Amino acid sequence: MARQHTLSIIKPDATRRNLTGQINAKFESAGLRIVAQKRLQLTQAQAEAFYAVHSARPFFAGLVAFMISGPVVAQVLEGEDAIARNRAIMGATDPKKAEPGTIRAAFAEDIEANSVHGSDSVETAAAEIAFFFSGLEIVG
C-alpha cells in the first residue's frame, strides 16, 4: 500500500449539525491523519467549478445549491491507501445502502445531504486538493 493524500469535504448538512468532530474522529480512528483543514463558505462559482465534471448531469444544479447552503470543512487526509480507506469510511453515496458504522450510515440525511465528499482516484485527489490548498498549507 502507498502513503497517499486525499481530499475530504464535510458538507453543509454535517457542519450545520456540528458533526465535524465526530466525523474527524472516524477518520483518525481508521488511521488517517488530517494534514490540512479549513472551514469555508463556497460561492456558486466555486461550487460550479469544483463539481464541473458533473455539469451535464441532472443533479448538478441541486448539488451546487446544496454545497453553497452553508459552510463546509475541506481537508486533506493522509495515510496508507488513504483514497480507498476514506471511501470505505464514508460508505455508499446513498446512506440507505451504506454499511453500518460508516459516516453516511451514521450521519447522512439523504442521498444529496450525505455529509461527506471524498476523492475517488489519485488523479482526482491531486486536482481536488489543489483546488482548496496550496502545498504550504499541507503539513504532515
Side-chain angles (χ1 to χ4, degrees):
M1 288 190 282
R3 189 156 206 72
Q4 298 175 323
H5 285 156
T6 189
L7 184 80
S8 168
I9 299 175
I10 301 175
K11 295 181 177 182
D13 64 297
T15 61
R16 175 177 38 80
R17 292 178 289 142
N18 292 321
L19 298 174
T20 302
Q22 291 177 67
I23 290 171
N24 283 340
K26 285 189 173 283
F27 294 138
E28 292 177 333
S29 67
L32 295 172
R33 292 182 60 217
I34 300 165
V35 295
Q37 184 180 69
K38 60 175 78 170
R39 183 180 180 96
L40 59 139
Q41 176 74 48
L42 293 173
T43 65
Q44 180 156 344
Q46 289 168 328
E48 287 173 349
F50 185 77
Y51 286 107
V53 67
H54 299 301
S55 62
R57 311 278 302 265
F59 60 81
F60 179 72
L63 175 60
V64 168
F66 169 64
M67 290 302 291
I68 67 173
S69 69
V72 300
V73 176
Q75 50 198 13
V76 179
L77 306 177
E78 177 185 78
E80 293 298 319
D81 206 20
I83 295 165
R85 187 176 294 188
N86 179 40
R87 294 188 71 75
I89 296 163
M90 289 190 309
T93 303
D94 182 347
K96 293 176 187 165
K97 298 177 182 172
E99 292 290 322
T102 63
I103 291 169
R104 290 176 172 150
F107 302 122
E109 295 178 323
D110 57 46
I111 196 166
E112 184 179 83
N114 61 15
S115 299
V116 286
H117 164 90
S119 303
D120 63 4
S121 69
V122 171
E123 297 77 20
T124 303
E128 290 182 344
I129 290 167
F131 187 91
F132 287 103
F133 297 96
S134 75
L136 292 174
E137 295 175 294
I138 301 170
V139 181

